[in-house]
Amino acid sequence: MRLTHKGWEVGLQSDEHLQRLEEKLARIEAVKDLLSAHTHRQKNALAALKMPEVTIEELKGEIAGLDRFDESTLLHIDPLFDYDSIEALSSEGREKLKAVRPFSVGQASRINGVRNSDVAILIVHLKRGGAHV
């Protein structure tokens, strides 16, 4: 996401690709706005989602309209996902992911010890058909 704009500026990304990214970012912001407007466990729902034990599925059951967003906006991870099958993950990241078993990529990104590069690798794997719900 960070490099698409730069790639577009130098001619490596098409207008269509940039537009798709901007639409996705707008959807993500809409999800954040929706979560910010609701509470969960006496917290702002967006802040509550940062807790490893809170899942987007739980919030979808409580917040009307959250279920209208597609999987690419709310990317889920199968609870039985085999993190050992992704060799490129850092050792610490793999162990943390296996211990917490995050429900979504967003939740995985908030785990202390999981690097941004681990999250990026996980996203690529999931998009290529890795085990996701």
Side-chain angles (χ1 to χ4, degrees):
M1 289 190 297
R2 293 178 310 144
L3 296 177
T4 300
H5 282 96
K6 292 199 180 292
W8 177 80
E9 289 172 0
V10 297
L12 296 174
Q13 294 291 336
S14 67
D15 290 342
E16 180 184 339
H17 187 100
L18 180 64
Q19 181 180 359
R20 282 195 315 264
L21 174 64
E22 289 174 349
E23 289 168 357
K24 182 174 185 167
L25 292 175
R27 288 191 306 272
I28 291 170
E29 284 304 312
V31 169
K32 287 180 179 179
D33 291 344
L34 186 59
L35 292 171
S36 295
H38 292 83
T39 58
H40 178 76
R41 297 184 185 175
Q42 300 176 339
K43 289 187 175 189
N44 167 309
L46 184 59
L49 189 58
K50 293 179 181 178
M51 302 179 337
E53 67 274 10
V54 177
T55 67
I56 196 72
E57 280 301 314
E58 183 179 350
L59 295 176
K60 282 169 85 174
E62 297 175 11
I63 301 173
L66 194 55
D67 59 350
R68 69 181 168 92
F69 294 96
D70 62 8
E71 289 298 313
S72 67
T73 306
L74 307 170
L75 194 57
H76 299 264
I77 304 172
D78 187 327
L80 301 176
F81 187 83
D82 180 15
Y83 294 100
D84 290 324
S85 69
I86 308 175
E87 294 178 19
L89 290 174
S90 70
S91 296
E92 182 183 13
R94 178 181 293 109
E95 293 307 312
K96 298 284 185 164
L97 289 166
K98 286 168 43 177
V100 174
R101 293 277 168 199
F103 187 79
S104 68
V105 171
Q107 191 177 19
S109 71
R110 294 184 296 274
I111 298 171
N112 190 22
V114 175
R115 301 175 186 166
N116 289 338
S117 59
D118 292 328
V119 174
I121 291 164
L122 180 60
I123 290 170
V124 168
H125 186 79
L126 292 170
K127 285 185 175 181
R128 287 185 179 163
H132 66 282
V133 180

